[in-house]
Amino acid sequence: MAISDAPPTTAGRDAAVEKSKLQQHFGRADVFFFLVCTLVGIDGLGTLATEGGQGFTWLVVCTLLFAVPSAMLLAELGAAHTDEGGPYVWVRMAFGHLAGAVNNFFYWVTNPVWMGGTLVGTALGGLIVFLHGGEEYSRPVTYAFALVFIWAGVLFAVLSFRVGKWVATVGAVARFLLLGLFSVLVLLYGVENGFHGPSVGDYAPTFAGFVALVPLVLFSLVGFELPSSAGEEMTDAARDVPAGIAKSVVATGLLYAVPVLGILLVLPSDQASGLAGFPEAVRQSLTVLGGEVTTAADGTVTATLTPFSTAVGWVLGALVALVAFTSGLTWIMGSDRTLAVSCYDGAGPRWLGRFSARFGTPTRVNLLSGVISTAVFVAVTEITDGDIAKFFGVALSLAISTTLISYLGIFPAAWRLRRKLPDHPLPYRAPALGLLTVVSTAWIAFCTVQLLFPGLGIDWFGDDYRADGWAASERWVYLLTELVPLALFVAVAVGFWAAGRRQVDRADRPGGR
């Protein structure tokens, strides 16, 4: 059931016009590298390690009980329904245009929020640790870096998948290099200095750790559907999507588990901050190439590097920034397509649903993403008065909440479409679909509540649950920083849907166009 077959008639005609501009450049290997670049980020590695050994335990549990079930759901959807803008199309086909419009707006807006917030902070964190002696950059330098970071991403997103897929491939290779080198350094560091990680008992999972960590873990393990946003730019989506997802599940699990374990073994948990935990662990492990580690009276560990190990650190710092940059780029490339598709499908303003005839990309949405990213960066920087750690916590929580909310529509779509379209071919058929749907959706629903009200049911906004840099007395300020944007996003999404309906209705009336 192609999107162009669905009413209203004007949307079908508009879809045909825009689809004629698409270019096929997306093969099986490209899908795998794109997924690795999409799924494997480093912005949450330090935060996972702050909970000690149970951070690693919950990562393993979520990989097995969330990533694997949800990946099977998305493999069925991606192989069976291969229209451009896959995640939007699935929800719209399953639950209607309004549900598709609102859900898809959350799916899209996450990424400019994430790009202008968390990812800028992650890249800055790596550069601060390796290139600036641990001292934060001045406000003007921070702004200049953020603008280049954001708008370079927009530029690459505007270019065709023929170019963009190679950027994603470079990003995937950067992940293998960065995390592979870190794993080797950690092993050498442990052999030379001994491993001083958590005790065996610290790996035991607790409910408090579950509440604090699982939303971040789930955020790190979603995205298997993103290549399907370019379903009609693939050479063989029905074959390549399930294969790419299967390989990426294994790669993602390993690329997350090994670095988190490395941080735990090298860096004391009270220093593994969400912003700089991973870069600090890399810096400490670099002393095996030259340098020393000293411990102050208060327990603070400081790594001093030689010129050679410092030079290697510069390379790794650049890789940290590149990984953060390409994480945002792949998500922007995919989610911008879903928003453009929804707009030419009558669930948003038609002017946003334009693809470039030259590049085959949704340039207007790409530019809008850049504007939103820039606005988010400016707003959060000013709200937190330039406090990078506090900035990081707010932006990460908002990005996680908007992301997870969108999967409340995407995951149930597989179950709904299998019943709504019983005769539709299923190149890949997920086993026990009902159970997979319940399990995947339940994880998301619980974590969404905990993101808005950290620690609710145990100790709302208590010491063990609130983000870095926030005081217990600021719980209502924190809540407003989450609820106000979410309410605004819902209002804008409904407004998009209403604008799209009006345009379609007007055009379908006699003499309307």
Side-chain angles (χ1 to χ4, degrees):
M1 181 178 180
I3 191 171
S4 57
D5 296 334
T9 57
T10 298
R13 292 194 298 269
D14 289 344
V17 170
E18 300 305 327
K19 287 183 178 185
S20 68
K21 305 172 185 176
L22 300 178
Q23 305 169 10
Q24 286 191 332
H25 298 295
F26 215 21
R28 177 174 291 195
D30 302 320
V31 171
F32 170 70
F33 285 122
F34 192 87
L35 277 169
V36 170
C37 198
T38 296
L39 290 158
V40 181
I42 58 172
D43 44 317
L45 291 178
T47 304
L48 280 174
T50 59
E51 293 295 323
Q54 67 171 318
F56 176 79
T57 301
W58 282 119
L59 175 62
V60 174
V61 170
C62 290
T63 299
L64 296 176
L65 300 183
F66 172 75
V68 172
S70 64
M72 289 191 286
L73 286 178
L74 297 168
E76 175 171 320
L77 285 167
H81 307 282
T82 59
D83 295 290
E84 190 79 1
Y88 160 73
V89 176
W90 305 335
V91 178
R92 192 269 291 158
M93 290 172 61
F95 306 112
H97 275 82
L98 178 57
V102 174
N103 196 82
N104 190 57
F105 190 85
F106 273 90
Y107 186 77
W108 166 75
V109 79
T110 293
N111 299 295
V113 169
W114 188 41
M115 185 85 164
T118 308
L119 292 179
V120 171
T122 298
L124 281 169
L127 297 179
I128 286 169
V129 168
F130 291 111
L131 275 71
H132 207 240
E135 297 293 327
E136 292 190 0
Y137 290 106
S138 66
R139 189 77 66 89
V141 171
T142 299
Y143 268 92
F145 175 84
L147 291 174
V148 172
F149 186 94
I150 291 167
W151 288 98
V154 171
L155 174 62
F156 281 112
V158 166
L159 300 177
S160 70
F161 248 114
R162 182 173 55 188
V163 176
K165 71 177 184 180
W166 288 112
V167 178
T169 299
V170 169
V173 172
R175 284 156 173 77
F176 287 118
L177 286 174
L178 175 63
L179 300 179
L181 287 172
F182 174 63
S183 300
V184 172
L185 289 171
V186 165
L187 179 61
L188 294 175
Y189 183 90
V191 171
E192 182 176 308
N193 300 283
F195 292 105
H196 304 289
S199 65
V200 174
D202 290 333
Y203 286 89
T206 66
F207 185 72
F210 175 82
V211 171
L213 288 173
V214 169
L216 175 62
V217 177
L218 264 58
F219 176 70
S220 302
L221 295 175
V222 294
F224 293 105
E225 77 294 332
L226 193 65
S228 295
S229 63
E232 294 182 51
E233 297 171 71
M234 295 184 188
T235 54
D236 189 350
R239 182 194 65 175
D240 295 343
V241 167
I245 288 177
K247 294 174 184 176
S248 65
V249 169
V250 177
T252 298
L254 291 175
L255 288 172
Y256 274 130
V258 173
V260 169
L261 190 59
I263 294 173
L264 292 171
L265 294 175
V266 171
L267 196 66
S269 61
D270 60 354
Q271 293 184 51
S273 72
L275 177 62
F278 178 68
E280 288 288 1
V282 173
R283 182 178 176 85
Q284 188 168 324
S285 66
L286 277 169
T287 57
V288 300
L289 301 179
E292 61 179 358
V293 176
T294 58
T295 303
D298 62 358
T300 300
V301 176
T302 302
T304 303
L305 304 179
T306 64
F308 174 71
S309 55
T310 296
V312 176
W314 288 349
V315 173
L316 294 177
L319 286 175
V320 169
L322 179 60
V323 167
F325 175 75
T326 52
S327 288
L329 176 60
T330 53
W331 276 98
I332 289 291
M333 289 170 63
S335 65
D336 281 3
R337 280 165 166 77
T338 67
L339 183 64
V341 169
S342 70
C343 290
Y344 72 54
D345 187 47
R350 179 66 181 92
W351 65 272
L352 280 175
R354 304 282 185 187
F355 279 71
S356 166
R358 177 182 178 184
F359 300 114
T361 56
T363 52
R364 295 182 181 182
V365 180
N366 295 150
L367 295 173
L368 179 60
S369 289
V371 171
I372 297 294
S373 293
T374 304
V376 167
F377 173 79
V378 172
V380 179
T381 300
E382 296 306 318
I383 288 172
T384 60
D385 195 27
D387 184 332
I388 295 296
K390 201 170 184 179
F391 166 97
F392 181 87
V394 174
L396 181 60
S397 295
L398 183 57
I400 294 174
S401 62
T402 52
T403 297
L404 297 189
I405 286 171
S406 69
Y407 287 92
L408 294 174
I410 293 173
F411 287 157
W415 180 86
R416 173 64 175 159
L417 288 176
R418 191 187 282 190
R419 280 148 185 77
K420 187 176 181 180
L421 305 170
D423 298 324
H424 192 89
L426 297 176
Y428 169 78
R429 188 180 185 90
L433 184 66
L435 177 62
L436 296 181
T437 301
V438 170
V439 169
S440 299
T441 307
W443 280 97
I444 294 293
F446 176 83
C447 291
T448 300
V449 173
Q450 289 299 326
L451 282 165
L452 297 177
F453 306 93
L456 185 67
I458 304 175
D459 183 16
W460 177 30
F461 219 66
D463 293 342
D464 294 332
Y465 304 104
R466 62 178 177 269
D468 289 343
W470 289 86
S473 60
E474 297 178 302
R475 65 167 64 177
W476 295 107
V477 176
Y478 174 87
L479 181 59
L480 287 175
T481 63
E482 300 291 321
L483 286 182
V484 171
L486 292 180
L488 178 62
F489 295 158
V490 171
V492 173
V494 173
F496 268 37
W497 168 81
R501 293 295 88 199
R502 284 196 300 271
Q503 292 172 358
V504 169
D505 291 343
R506 184 166 55 249
D508 283 338
R509 289 195 296 268
R513 175 177 287 183

